[in-house]
Amino acid sequence: MPHLTVTALEPQIAGHERDLIARLTRAVTSVCGERVRDLVVVRLVGLAAGRWAVGGVPCREAAPTVTFAIGEDAFTRADGRQTEARLVAAVTDAVAMTLGEHHRDEIVVDLVAARDGRTAVGGRLVCDAVGREADESRDRAEIDALRAEFTDAAMMNDHDRLAGLFVPDGVVRVPDAGIEAVGRDGIRGLGQQREAGFEVFVQTAHPGVVSLSGDTATGRACLFEAIRIRGGGSHLNYGLYHDRYLRTPEGWRFVERAYEIRYLDSTPLAGRPGGSVTDDGRPHSVQTSEPTG
């Protein structure tokens, strides 16, 4: 978190507060990126006359000083030296342009590497917050992978793999169709039943929201399905999966997937199962040379 403390005599700062804060914030984001804007903290300290002295003599005017604390990782990475130089130049420009160019050559910028393990906000170490953010990002990525694995296993009719994505007593429910499968054996059997009953089955899922709470989570995924039932009947479904997840020693697993159909079109599908690409039995021509004319 970039924290800047500017110290100057009060008469130098008075009336320039807004401009100086804006320029310093832009200076930081010009080097570190817009992503840090909301984290930039600027403190302006104005000293009364007689409280700044050099060589034992109080100053009537003095070049401002800036203490700039920023996470130590900014300096330890490969481009650390370049980052230091750019920060110092940008901050010096901001102060000089606001409080007077005649101070430029004497402005002091002191870069301080703030260690996450020794910096706290709201009573919590920054390193703990960073660690929690990393853990949360990892959990979200693993849950997204779990949901993708579900769709792939269903499309590949890999019923054992699909059942293994659930906790042992996991549940699949489709209330609109009166379907409920409990446990891995039940989920495996439901997949086998689907494969036997459907001539065409295509599912496209789009990950939705996830809400984490320790070792449990809830979420939703949006999906589209194209189904042709053996013996007649077709479905085009647009729906939602309402999910509950649990962290297990094997990773995140489904506790429940409940399928809510939001839109159903039972118009017979005009296409046919995949294979060679044909229209009415005639294969498409494939152009293998550059067009002429």
Side-chain angles (χ1 to χ4, degrees), residues 139 143 211-217 245-247 252:
D139 288 339
I143 289 173
S211 178
L212 297 165
S213 180
D215 290 334
T216 64
Y245 316 98
L246 178 69
R247 190 200 313 274
W252 285 95

Side-chain angles (χ1 to χ4, degrees), residues 185-249:
D185 288 342
I187 294 168
R188 184 183 300 107
L190 179 63
Q192 293 167 341
Q193 181 181 345
R194 173 187 52 74
E195 182 183 8
F198 292 173
E199 179 186 12
V200 173
F201 174 75
V202 177
Q203 181 184 91
T204 302
H206 304 278
V209 299
V210 172
S211 178
L212 297 165
S213 180
D215 290 334
T216 64
T218 58
R220 287 189 301 275
C222 307
L223 69 150
F224 164 79
E225 288 183 328
I227 298 169
R228 176 182 287 158
I229 303 169
R230 297 185 192 278
S234 297
H235 283 185
L236 283 176
N237 301 333
Y238 291 87
L240 292 171
Y241 277 129
H242 299 272
D243 297 335
R244 291 190 292 126
Y245 316 98
L246 178 69
R247 190 200 313 274
T248 75

Side-chain angles (χ1 to χ4, degrees), residues 125-146:
L125 290 171
V126 171
C127 60
D128 292 340
V130 172
R132 284 195 301 275
E133 290 176 2
D135 290 342
E136 180 175 317
S137 296
R138 183 165 52 250
D139 288 339
R140 291 182 183 278
E142 290 180 3
I143 289 173
D144 280 346
L146 175 71

Side-chain angles (χ1 to χ4, degrees), residues 72-105:
E72 62 181 348
D73 61 316
F75 309 120
T76 57
R77 61 196 189 195
D79 62 346
R81 294 298 296 176
Q82 293 90 337
T83 299
E84 292 176 28
R86 292 176 63 201
L87 287 173
V88 167
V91 169
T92 300
D93 283 345
V95 175
M97 292 172 66
T98 307
L99 302 185
E101 285 290 338
H102 60 289
H103 290 304
R104 178 181 291 274
D105 291 341

Side-chain angles (χ1 to χ4, degrees), residues 3-4 28 39 68 109 122 138 170 184 196 200 217 224 253 289:
H3 286 197
L4 297 88
V28 176
L39 303 177
F68 189 166
V109 178
R138 183 165 52 250
R184 289 176 175 169
V200 173
F224 164 79
R253 292 292 183 268
S289 60

